[in-house]
Amino acid sequence: MDKSKSLNDYFPFFDSFLRSRKLRFGIVLNHKDVRFELWLMGQNAEDQRNYWELLKDAKWNKGRSVMPRYSVLEVVLVEAPDFNDLDTLSAEIINRGISVTEEIQDIIKRIE
């Protein structure tokens, strides 16, 4: 396997709330597990570590004792995507993504 190739593709996005905290979300296609995930990522390693400390006990990090390699937290959006029905898949990613991003931002607002 060529280790220079990524095992994930992602679409990053943020709003003013996230930007002011040097955070962004990413919708990630995890090639290895063939699923879509939502990641919360810091602008740099220090920002990521700071938010890991704030969110390491959040429900999305349950069972983790170590911060993920590229993110603060990772949430599975679609476990077994059906690539034969792209309209339904897109709607599922968007709807679940909106719900989870709102919940994560609400938690960040409460703990800061």
Side-chain angles (χ1 to χ4, degrees):
M1 175 206 278
D2 180 358
K3 293 189 182 205
S4 66
K5 291 187 179 182
S6 172
L7 295 177
N8 301 308
D9 290 311
Y10 78 101
F11 175 79
F13 62 98
F14 56 89
D15 60 12
S16 59
F17 173 81
L18 293 169
R19 182 181 208 123
S20 69
R21 287 156 178 81
K22 299 181 181 176
L23 295 170
R24 69 186 178 280
F25 284 114
I27 294 183
V28 178
L29 172 56
N30 179 324
H31 292 269
K32 181 178 177 262
D33 296 327
V34 190
R35 65 185 188 194
F36 284 93
E37 301 171 348
L38 177 79
W39 292 7
L40 177 64
M41 300 171 280
Q43 184 174 341
N44 57 48
E46 180 181 353
D47 296 323
Q48 218 152 274
R49 278 190 304 276
N50 290 340
Y51 278 92
W52 163 255
E53 288 301 319
L54 289 173
L55 296 168
K56 67 182 175 185
D57 295 324
K59 68 180 183 180
W60 304 283
N61 283 323
K62 191 173 191 152
R64 282 191 180 269
S65 58
V66 177
M67 184 178 77
R69 184 172 180 185
Y70 299 112
S71 64
V72 175
L73 57 83
E74 301 171 357
V75 180
V76 175
L77 295 177
V78 180
E79 183 69 46
D82 179 359
F83 292 101
N84 292 316
D85 186 354
L86 296 180
D87 290 337
T88 300
L89 176 59
S90 296
E92 193 174 0
I93 292 167
I94 291 167
N95 292 333
R96 177 101 167 97
I98 289 170
S99 173
V100 173
T101 58
E102 288 174 350
E103 190 175 359
I104 291 168
Q105 287 189 27
D106 286 345
I107 287 177
I108 292 170
K109 289 173 187 173
R110 284 198 311 260
I111 62 176
E112 286 188 326

